[in-house]
Amino acid sequence: MANARVTVHPEARIDRIEPEVHGHFSEHLGRCVYDGLWTDDVAEQNGFREDVVELLANLEIPVLRWPGGCFADDYHWEDGVGPQEERPRRRNLFWAQGREDIPEESNAFGTDEFLKFCERVGTEPYLAANVGSGNPQEAADWVEYCNYDGDTELANRRRENGHEEPYGVKYWGLGNENWGCGGRMSPEQYAREYRRFATYVGSMDNLMLDQNLELIACGFANHEWNHRFMEEVGKTDWGVEFPLDHLTLHHYYGRSMSISEASEEKYDQFLVEALEMDYHIERIASAINAVATTRDIGVIIDEWGAWHTEAVAENGLEQPGTVIDALSAAAVLNIFNHHSDVMTMSNIAQTVNVLQCLVETEGDDAWVRPTYRVFDLYAPHKGNDALTTSVDTPSRDVECTDDDLPFVGASASVADTGEMYVTVTNLDCRDGHTVDVAIEGCDATDADVDAQVLFEEQAPDLEVDASNADDFAAEDLDVDVDGDVLSVDLEPSTVAGISIP
Ligand code: AHR
């Protein structure tokens, strides 16, 4: 007998799930770039980590944000182009770096290395320009270096550095957390800076170097700040174009929880915090909608994920990879699907070794974490139309919060071919639940329904390493089909993907 019911409403389409919602973020922080994307910070031993390239290429990651994070607003891109032995070594203001855990930057991995890495992986680059300590000229020059096809010094410098054709970088972030590490600005101050940068970086039809760039402003999880930013940006008469395509915010959760000393109560609190993503998307969308613009402005969550007490600056923000973190990612990806009408991208933090990374490395080994498995399980949603779902689920009061934790969550989508895909989470770490998934008006009796499940019989805090990484792979899940109702048994802390052709 089912104790939770998910109803999928195929007639109530929400919007396309942009593939970029499964995007990633990499910063010059700890072992993310050096020892993660790149072999080392020693110029003579340079080279991409082929094992990491292969794992990310297999996942078909749609977009990768770089070089930060806080690092972005302390980064001067010209330090990282040209012959590697001539590049200046700089202090890294915010983070420990590479194998020696030193706060210095060799600049061995710069713009060309990053953009070639993206080409190898088959992903779109998203560059974050320096607003906090940079200037509009520097940002505009970066665009010219990357994208211009003419006979200028910067375009020719790119050619000399090995890339004849323009890279065609589409996504440009103007600043990172400018309310904090990116300059501690008021929203009005950032709005004024943003307008200056947007003018020179250029994305307006009346500029000769129009590149159809997508410009991204960095918002805040304080929504009053976002309202004030939008009002100020909207004040000036910009003519026909409004110079903003996406507004972002960052949502980390679990900051007070040690993953190695957590309890069932703590897991519940952690998951409730993760589910606050829903509130943040609604609020930032409302800040956008409050101001009339000539552009359709999307919501990006360009840093998100679990951040536990284990991850500190001194260890390059490293923390163990666990099932509970992966489960939170599944819950958040469901939320993104529900908001496909406003969500244009997200970038989980951070791709390799740092925070809720998907891939971990140690010496010559590289392996995938449970969160990678979740992204893989959710991949069929990419590019589909999201469908409205309603969920009737048991829940539990969560100590130290005003919230309940709803145990069962879900999202659904449909492909052009008519194939539907439903993902269902059981966030209850203590008990299993039987879930009826009703697809309104769709008799699945003769359909070749296929289902997979992650994390059966895995403890929420089980840590992944090179020796057990394969144990977290998806397994087949039994589905009972009765007309338009599909029933599945979900063990504690599991996530399932069901496809209905
Ligand atoms: O991802 C780590 C840091 O978290 C980033 O540098 C910053 O943007 C955020 O506060």
Side-chain angles (χ1 to χ4, degrees):
M1 171 86 173
N3 55 1
R5 188 177 178 89
V6 172
T7 308
V8 178
H9 306 276
E11 297 301 317
R13 292 190 186 215
I14 306 171
D15 214 326
R16 181 170 191 260
I17 298 169
E18 298 299 342
E20 288 74 20
V21 164
H22 284 228
H24 299 266
F25 162 51
S26 287
E27 180 168 15
H28 286 240
L29 191 176
R31 298 191 307 127
C32 184
V33 169
Y34 301 113
D35 224 12
L37 311 183
W38 191 251
T39 51
D40 209 309
D41 76 344
V42 180
E44 291 75 33
Q45 296 178 320
N46 66 35
F48 301 123
R49 273 200 75 127
E50 293 301 330
D51 45 8
V52 173
V53 168
E54 191 182 334
L55 290 169
L56 296 179
N58 289 345
L59 194 57
E60 297 184 6
I61 69 170
V63 61
L64 183 58
R65 175 177 182 246
W66 175 86
C70 295
F71 180 81
D73 284 66
D74 189 42
Y75 181 62
H76 300 284
W77 70 269
E78 287 191 84
D79 287 347
V81 296
Q84 287 184 337
E85 59 282 3
E86 291 172 19
R87 297 184 192 176
R89 190 170 180 90
R90 306 269 187 217
R91 89 278 177 280
N92 181 328
L93 192 59
F94 295 99
W95 307 114
Q97 280 287 85
R99 285 188 188 150
E100 306 302 326
D101 294 341
I102 46 169
E104 291 177 7
E105 169 58 52
S106 69
N107 280 307
F109 189 92
T111 300
D112 292 293
E113 288 76 19
F114 173 69
L115 295 176
K116 285 174 189 159
F117 182 86
C118 290
E119 288 176 349
R120 291 285 315 282
V121 167
T123 191
E124 281 282 338
Y126 162 11
L127 293 179
N130 180 345
V131 169
S133 69
N135 61 51
Q137 183 68 59
E138 181 184 30
D141 286 350
W142 205 9
V143 176
E144 186 179 333
Y145 178 86
C146 293
N147 286 0
Y148 190 51
D149 199 16
D151 183 25
T152 62
E153 188 274 329
L154 284 169
N156 288 327
R157 204 178 331 158
R158 181 196 65 240
R159 293 186 184 101
E160 278 160 29
N161 291 338
H163 211 270
E164 179 63 31
E165 298 301 320
Y167 287 105
V169 178
K170 180 165 78 168
Y171 298 112
W172 290 88
L174 301 183
N176 172 77
E177 295 193 356
N178 301 88
W179 43 265
C181 62
R184 311 218 186 283
M185 299 183 201
S186 70
E188 290 77 17
Q189 189 185 359
Y190 177 53
R192 288 192 288 273
E193 287 297 310
Y194 179 87
R195 291 195 308 222
R196 282 179 72 217
F197 275 73
T199 302
Y200 293 97
V201 164
S203 66
M204 288 165 265
D205 286 343
N206 59 344
L207 297 183
M208 275 168 57
L209 301 186
D210 176 34
Q211 308 271 348
N212 286 325
L213 309 181
E214 300 210 8
L215 299 190
I216 301 166
C218 200
F220 196 6
N222 170 335
H223 296 283
E224 176 59 23
W225 198 97
N226 296 329
H227 272 278
R228 284 171 50 190
F229 167 76
M230 286 300 296
E231 272 170 16
E232 185 68 26
V233 164
K235 258 185 198 163
T236 302
D237 178 7
W238 284 92
V240 286
E241 293 279 5
F242 193 87
L244 176 63
D245 297 283
H246 312 265
L247 182 63
T248 81
L249 66 76
H250 300 164
H251 179 48
Y252 290 104
Y253 43 85
R255 300 282 300 250
S256 61
M257 172 175 138
S258 157
I259 190 68
S260 40
E261 291 167 16
S263 58
E264 288 174 341
E265 289 74 28
K266 292 276 182 199
Y267 296 147
D268 289 353
Q269 289 164 17
F270 166 73
L271 291 168
V272 160
E273 256 190 80
L275 295 178
E276 284 169 10
M277 186 69 88
D278 191 52
Y279 161 84
H280 286 302
I281 296 171
E282 279 179 13
R283 292 302 312 273
I284 195 168
S286 111
I288 291 169
N289 289 336
V291 174
T293 68
T294 52
R295 286 198 191 190
D296 198 7
I297 297 170
V299 171
I300 293 180
I301 310 294
D302 58 6
E303 291 183 30
W304 66 274
W307 186 334
H308 299 297
T309 54
E310 282 81 358
V312 290
E314 292 72 25
N315 73 357
L317 301 191
E318 294 200 24
Q319 61 190 15
T322 60
V323 165
I324 189 76
D325 286 357
L327 200 61
S328 75
V332 167
L333 290 175
N334 280 343
I335 291 170
F336 290 159
N337 288 349
H338 300 155
H339 290 288
S340 60
D341 52 338
V342 296
M343 286 291 302
T344 44
M345 189 193 293
S346 97
N347 311 79
I348 190 167
Q350 297 192 3
T351 323
V352 192
N353 291 328
V354 171
L355 293 172
Q356 194 172 353
C357 55
L358 279 79
V359 174
E360 195 171 348
T361 66
E362 192 59 64
D364 290 340
D365 288 329
W367 60 93
V368 303
R369 283 185 163 189
T371 300
Y372 183 106
R373 309 284 184 186
V374 166
F375 272 73
D376 208 17
L377 190 78
Y378 276 60
H381 282 305
K382 287 191 267 185
N384 282 2
D385 277 355
L387 302 174
T388 302
T389 52
S390 37
V391 181
D392 187 8
T393 173
S395 60
R396 179 164 48 236
D397 268 356
V398 178
E399 278 175 27
C400 308
T401 75
D402 297 331
D403 293 301
D404 284 0
L405 177 68
F407 296 144
V408 173
S411 69
S413 67
V414 62
D416 289 347
T417 56
E419 183 158 348
M420 282 184 222
Y421 195 63
V422 185
T423 41
V424 189
T425 50
N426 176 12
L427 303 185
D428 188 352
C429 302
R430 302 170 210 194
D431 294 311
H433 296 281
T434 300
V435 185
D436 278 352
V437 179
I439 318 276
E440 272 194 340
C442 162
D443 187 343
T445 312
D446 297 324
D448 192 10
V449 174
D450 182 54
Q452 302 230 295
V453 66
L454 287 172
F455 314 139
E456 281 193 342
E457 291 172 33
Q458 311 272 26
D461 61 348
L462 189 61
E463 294 178 16
V464 66
D465 57 31
S467 68
N468 67 358
D470 291 345
D471 301 350
F472 297 83
E475 296 173 314
D476 290 339
L477 176 69
D478 289 338
V479 185
D480 282 341
V481 181
D482 182 7
D484 65 356
V485 178
L486 318 172
S487 298
V488 288
D489 287 323
L490 292 186
E491 289 185 9
S493 313
T494 52
V495 50
I498 310 169
S499 60
I500 306 113

